[in-house]
Amino acid sequence: MNLFKGKVFVILGADSALGIEVIRALAPAEARIVASGEHQLSLDACVSEAMRHGSEAISVPLDMCSREDYEALLIQAVHAYGRIDYLILNTGSTFAPAFSDWSGIKASKQFFNRYVLMPVYAIQLCLPHLFRNSGCIMNLACSSPSHPQPCSAALEAFLEGVGFEMKSSEDKLQIINVPIENYDTKISARGVDVAARSAVRTLASRVAAAKYDSGIYLKFRRICSALYPKWLFDILNCRHCRRGMVKKMQ
């Protein structure tokens, strides 16, 4: 995946099993990885795994309820690599208690702060860099039928709304919600690996499609639409042909 060579990924929740597998999937592409999470030993393992496959990586431990830690994460990422291209949200809402178990306003604030508000704040912090580099936000929206996920659904809905806002503006920022079904603590190692690689492939496809749609191609499409009848232009620009071009770029 030459698309990601030298690109800077900030990964929240890199210390989870899914986060580690995402890093393992990205590492062969020679990406630059900023791995963040609450468990230092797991983050060290992430960095070692990334470097073993030829990527650059640093670890930034943080309290996922702390605004100051998120700000420090941004500072360290920019200091290390000078830019941010991708923000991956794997904030662990799968393990949040069911809403029926939330007791009182204090617990509600705690869970909402950790699983919704702080990821949104991370997006705000990274947004100027993502705009500058035509970057992307990818949210790993985990769910399990046996474990309701109101926080995950809230973050996913928020990002969908932001995505619609971005489409109506001139800012080139992609937002991707990647659903990971039936994800819970009992998922097999093989299942986590498949989910992570599928998420990275989805990201690569969207990035390749965006590149294909930008620059010279847009100008070429405008010229063709003026020169050719609509029915012929629709054939030349059909989505099946476009998918074939995207696969070649990957």
Side-chain angles (χ1 to χ4, degrees), residues 154-185:
L155 182 58
E156 188 175 354
F158 175 81
L159 286 169
E160 285 180 2
V162 174
F164 284 123
E165 180 182 314
M166 293 299 106
K167 285 181 180 178
S168 63
S169 71
E170 295 182 357
D171 297 312
K172 296 179 180 179
L173 174 67
Q174 293 194 75
I175 297 177
I176 308 172
N177 278 309
V178 179
I180 299 178
E181 302 294 337
N182 302 321
Y183 183 84
D184 55 36
T185 54

Side-chain angles (χ1 to χ4, degrees), residues 30-234:
E30 300 181 31
R32 295 174 173 179
I33 295 168
V34 181
S36 67
E38 295 181 310
H39 302 96
Q40 183 66 64
L41 290 177
S42 296
L43 293 177
D44 291 341
C46 291
V47 171
S48 298
E49 186 69 20
M51 295 179 72
R52 187 169 69 86
H53 286 89
S55 284
E56 299 178 47
I58 61 170
S59 65
V60 183
L62 81 163
D63 177 352
M64 297 188 77
C65 293
S66 169
R67 177 174 60 87
E68 291 78 10
D69 282 8
Y70 276 92
E71 292 168 354
L73 168 63
L74 176 73
I75 291 169
Q76 291 188 54
V78 174
H79 177 73
Y81 299 123
R83 58 186 291 155
I84 296 172
D85 298 286
Y86 299 95
L87 174 63
I88 297 181
L89 303 175
N90 176 40
T91 49
S93 57
T94 304
F95 308 113
F99 180 70
S100 57
D101 295 330
W102 294 15
S103 56
I105 188 66
K106 185 176 180 180
S108 298
K109 284 182 177 179
Q110 176 187 347
F111 298 134
F112 195 82
N113 183 60
R114 176 189 172 96
Y115 297 115
V116 181
L117 183 58
M118 285 297 101
V120 169
Y121 186 52
I123 294 169
Q124 285 183 314
L125 291 172
C126 295
L127 213 53
H129 300 274
L130 297 173
F131 280 150
R132 191 178 304 122
N133 301 315
S134 299
C136 180
I137 300 166
M138 182 169 72
N139 176 44
L140 303 180
C142 303
S143 64
S144 169
S146 62
H147 203 317
Q149 309 298 330
C151 289
S152 179
L155 182 58
E156 188 175 354
F158 175 81
L159 286 169
E160 285 180 2
V162 174
F164 284 123
E165 180 182 314
M166 293 299 106
K167 285 181 180 178
S168 63
S169 71
E170 295 182 357
D171 297 312
K172 296 179 180 179
L173 174 67
Q174 293 194 75
I175 297 177
I176 308 172
N177 278 309
V178 179
I180 299 178
E181 302 294 337
N182 302 321
Y183 183 84
D184 55 36
T185 54
K186 298 179 181 179
I187 192 172
S188 66
R190 174 62 180 164
V192 174
D193 173 64
V194 170
R197 292 187 182 279
S198 175
V200 173
R201 281 196 301 269
T202 299
L203 178 61
S205 296
R206 289 286 293 272
V207 172
K211 281 194 170 187
Y212 182 68
D213 279 342
S214 62
I216 295 174
Y217 173 71
L218 283 178
K219 294 179 182 178
F220 175 75
R221 191 164 63 179
R222 291 193 192 103
I223 293 171
C224 287
S225 65
L227 293 176
Y228 296 112
K230 185 178 183 305
W231 64 268
L232 180 56
F233 176 71
D234 289 342

